[in-house]
Amino acid sequence: MTAQSVERTLETVFRLESARIVATVARIVRDLGIAEEIAQDVFLAALEQWPGSGIPDRPGAWLTAAAKHRAVDLVRRRETYARKLAEVGRTLPEESYDPEPSGPGDIDDDVLRLVFTTCHPVLSAEARAALTLRLVGGLRTDEVARAFLVPEATVAARITRAKRTLAKAGVEFEVPYGQERAARLGSVLEVVYLVFNEGYAATAGDDLLRPGLCEDALRLARGLAALMPGESEVHGLAALLELQASRTPARTGPDGRPVLLADQDRRRWNRLLIRRGFDALARAGDGRGYGPYALQAAIAACHARAVSYEETDWAVIAGLYGRLAVLAPSPVVELNRAVAVSMTEGPAAALALVDTLATAPGLDRYHLLPSVRGDLLARLGRTAEARAEFERAAELTRNKSERALLLARARDAHRPGTLPP
């Protein structure tokens, strides 16, 4: 077995298992920084050992066991371990460590525990999201920066400061209860949503999709819904992710290239996930009190109900985006509202809205702004201008599949299909 094949396998396993390994170790050592170091150490150990011994049948389990063993050794060496042992009244087996059983209302999923820990209120909202995406989503620093539309150096500084702040404050890998849990919920929902988005439309790389991230986010959203059944926005987020994920089979063609929403074969949409999404949206309430996630889920539900792109109820979608803009104002929401407006009032009306966003903070490097503008210009017959916008959008994206799509649209700048796949 070559070192190169081992390295490729480890890269895949890292994307799939790093969050779970960090979460498992953090529950033992009670320190996120140390947990991340141990996770990195065991991956390096595997890189050294596996070329000679072979890749284990269950590489994730091998890495987790190795990380737990190192974590237990570290705990045993701590000078304060005896005092802590006396306080909690437990002993450690020689070869493994299993924390005490969860209590009523506890969180059974270690990764979900990790999310709540990295969303501790001692951190700023920006730092919570950046750190969670890095540790839970397994995103590189540049990918996190792309998600926030900010410079990479800014995100790197946020992550470094966040780890130091957690360590200085003595924040443990804990399970919040009651009001404290509710206080962290907004940040938790945000990062689960961001993890899903990175899987749904990867900011960089060769492929449009990173299915593992979508699956992780879905599992976390479902876990939150079971943990907090009385929270409307938890169900709203779960509904949104179920409905968005339902489109995955139709979002890329046989060659792996993205397929625009207008061109997707809706027969390939996953009907089970659509039903789950509708059920979750029903649990979010009757619509009058929807929060931002439930409103986005309602928009996704409009697409799911339409048997074709042409039969989509764009007027309802435009109204929902208007409500969303009031609850959670952002230039991205306004850009999406402009797309819906273009389908109800025409491309000229939408172009006027889009042009007001040209100087909005963060959108100067957002590839979907020139992409939407290009589509509107093409529909107005301004082909040369449309082509230039699509080419600019292609320059801005770091995803190869998306770039290929945008360049193809530049060559054929007359078809509608603004909404991404």
Side-chain angles (χ1 to χ4, degrees):
M1 181 169 298
T2 67
Q4 188 176 19
S5 64
V6 169
E7 186 173 353
R8 286 197 300 267
T9 299
L10 271 172
E11 286 177 357
T12 301
V13 174
F14 180 81
R15 288 196 300 269
L16 296 174
E17 301 289 346
S18 61
R20 195 175 306 281
I21 293 170
V22 170
T24 299
V25 173
R27 194 175 184 188
I28 300 172
V29 300
R30 309 287 175 174
D31 186 298
L32 287 177
I34 293 175
E36 190 175 20
E37 290 175 6
I38 290 176
Q40 292 170 352
D41 285 346
V42 297
F43 275 97
L44 289 175
L47 194 59
E48 295 173 355
Q49 296 178 30
W50 289 3
S53 62
I55 298 173
D57 292 335
R58 298 172 59 205
W62 187 99
L63 292 166
T64 301
K68 288 175 70 174
H69 183 76
R70 293 187 183 212
V72 170
D73 284 346
L74 177 63
V75 171
R76 289 183 184 281
R77 291 195 301 269
R78 287 177 175 169
E79 294 180 354
T80 59
Y81 178 65
R83 176 181 58 78
K84 291 185 176 181
L85 189 64
E87 288 176 354
V88 299
R90 64 184 181 217
T91 58
L92 290 176
E94 286 299 318
E95 298 299 331
S96 65
Y97 173 80
D98 292 310
E100 68 276 16
S102 301
D106 204 349
I107 301 173
D108 294 326
D109 189 312
D110 274 348
V111 177
L112 203 53
R113 290 173 184 265
L114 177 59
V115 175
F116 271 97
T117 300
T118 55
C119 288
H120 195 282
V122 73
L123 301 176
S124 67
E126 294 84 358
R128 295 174 209 165
L131 182 60
T132 309
L133 283 174
R134 179 71 184 87
L135 295 181
V136 178
L139 273 63
R140 299 190 308 272
T141 304
D142 64 316
E143 293 171 332
V144 179
R146 190 73 173 179
F148 286 115
L149 303 177
V150 297
E152 183 177 345
T154 300
V155 169
R158 285 178 187 173
I159 292 173
T160 299
R161 285 196 301 267
K163 291 178 182 178
R164 290 174 180 170
T165 300
L166 289 174
K168 185 176 180 180
V171 173
E172 294 187 346
F173 189 68
E174 60 184 5
V175 179
Y177 293 92
Q179 293 184 350
E180 187 178 356
R181 178 180 292 177
R184 298 192 206 180
L185 182 60
S187 292
V188 170
L189 295 180
E190 179 186 12
V191 296
V192 171
Y193 181 48
L194 289 172
V195 168
F196 180 87
N197 279 347
E198 179 58 30
Y200 191 73
T203 56
D206 296 338
D207 302 320
L208 176 70
L209 306 174
R210 297 176 66 178
L213 291 181
C214 289
E215 292 167 5
D216 283 346
L218 268 171
R219 181 177 53 78
L220 290 171
R222 291 165 182 166
L224 284 168
L227 181 72
M228 309 178 76
E231 293 287 344
S232 172
E233 275 291 78
V234 171
H235 296 298
L237 177 64
L240 174 60
L241 302 196
E242 301 279 9
L243 291 167
Q244 293 288 79
S246 72
R247 303 179 198 168
T248 299
R251 294 183 64 236
T252 53
D255 58 358
R257 292 193 176 185
V259 178
L260 293 171
L261 183 62
D263 300 327
Q264 288 177 16
D265 181 354
R266 300 189 176 211
R267 294 170 299 180
R268 298 185 63 201
W269 287 6
N270 188 311
R271 308 313 300 181
L272 173 60
L273 291 181
I274 289 174
R275 287 197 298 272
R276 290 182 64 102
F278 286 160
D279 289 345
L281 186 57
R283 289 191 289 272
D286 61 7
R288 289 172 295 183
Y290 279 172
Y293 294 112
L295 283 172
Q296 291 177 77
I299 292 167
C302 287
H303 290 295
R305 292 190 185 98
V307 297
S308 69
Y309 185 80
E310 292 73 20
E311 294 181 51
T312 304
D313 195 335
W314 292 104
V316 170
I317 291 176
L320 289 168
Y321 271 122
R323 290 174 58 186
L324 181 61
V326 173
L327 285 181
S330 82
V332 173
V333 170
E334 290 296 338
L335 183 62
N336 287 328
R337 186 171 75 86
V339 173
V341 167
S342 77
M343 304 301 290
T344 57
E345 301 178 27
L351 184 61
L353 294 175
V354 171
D355 285 345
T356 66
L357 301 174
T359 58
L363 285 194
D364 59 326
R365 302 295 298 171
Y366 187 51
H367 70 284
L368 289 183
L369 177 62
S371 175
V372 169
R373 196 168 189 277
D375 183 81
L376 298 174
L377 289 167
R379 290 164 60 187
L380 289 169
R382 296 159 61 177
T383 305
E385 293 173 83
R387 184 175 296 112
E389 291 294 327
F390 286 130
E391 289 173 349
R392 170 169 165 72
E395 291 175 1
L396 290 175
T397 185
R398 296 172 63 186
N399 183 280
K400 292 183 180 179
S401 294
E402 207 163 27
R403 184 181 301 116
L405 172 67
L406 289 165
L407 291 174
R409 297 215 62 206
R411 293 190 296 269
D412 185 22
H414 63 274
R415 294 182 62 247
T418 296
L419 288 184

